[in-house]
Amino acid sequence: QPQLVESGGGLVQPGGSLRLSCAASGFTLDEYAIGWFRQAPGKEREGVSCISSNDGSTYYTDSVKGRFTISRNDAKNTVYLQMNSLKPEDTAVYYCAADYAFRLCVLEVNEYDLWGPGTQVTVSS
């Protein structure tokens, strides 16, 4: 069955960096738009970044622009989220998801069809 699994989360101090990985199995990841989302305790799930399958175009929510970078490695069937200059406000469970309907990505939770189980990112001193 098609699956997504996130990895790379952990505890980091403010200003530090983490790289999250989203590994796909059972399907070819580069055929779909892939999004990264996050959900903090008591908060709604929100879009962070996404990458399109047709031309590799990317989108970032304003709060992470200049700090986060999304990328794709087709040979490894994996999408990454490089997170730099992390802030306590970035603390959340991070999820990756695949959109079966559109090749152009959009940061809308309800658009995505397949979700990974999430990985915890905690930014604290």
Side-chain angles (χ1 to χ4, degrees):
Q1 292 184 338
Q3 293 182 10
L4 294 171
V5 179
E6 305 92 341
S7 63
L11 175 64
V12 64
Q13 293 186 347
S17 298
L18 287 172
R19 189 178 74 162
L20 304 183
S21 298
C22 175
S25 61
F27 71 104
T28 301
L29 187 149
D30 66 5
E31 296 179 354
Y32 304 91
I34 304 297
W36 283 99
F37 299 81
R38 65 187 181 187
Q39 187 167 19
K43 304 292 185 180
E44 295 292 320
R45 191 169 299 187
E46 65 172 345
V48 177
S49 181
C50 63
I51 185 166
S52 300
S53 65
N54 60 341
D55 61 0
S57 60
T58 59
Y59 180 81
Y60 302 89
T61 192
D62 287 343
S63 64
V64 308
K65 286 182 178 178
R67 300 189 298 122
F68 291 10
T69 303
I70 191 170
S71 62
R72 184 176 63 218
N73 187 320
D74 293 340
K76 295 184 177 181
N77 211 24
T78 300
V79 166
Y80 303 95
L81 184 68
Q82 178 67 46
M83 305 186 296
N84 299 326
S85 302
L86 283 162
K87 305 175 181 179
E89 304 94 280
D90 297 317
T91 296
V93 176
Y94 282 71
Y95 302 88
C96 66
D99 181 357
Y100 293 163
F102 298 138
R103 289 179 177 263
L104 294 173
C105 78
V106 59
L107 286 178
E108 170 55 53
V109 170
N110 292 333
E111 180 60 38
Y112 288 77
D113 304 290
L114 177 67
W115 293 80
T119 185
Q120 176 70 49
V121 172
T122 302
V123 184
S124 177
S125 59

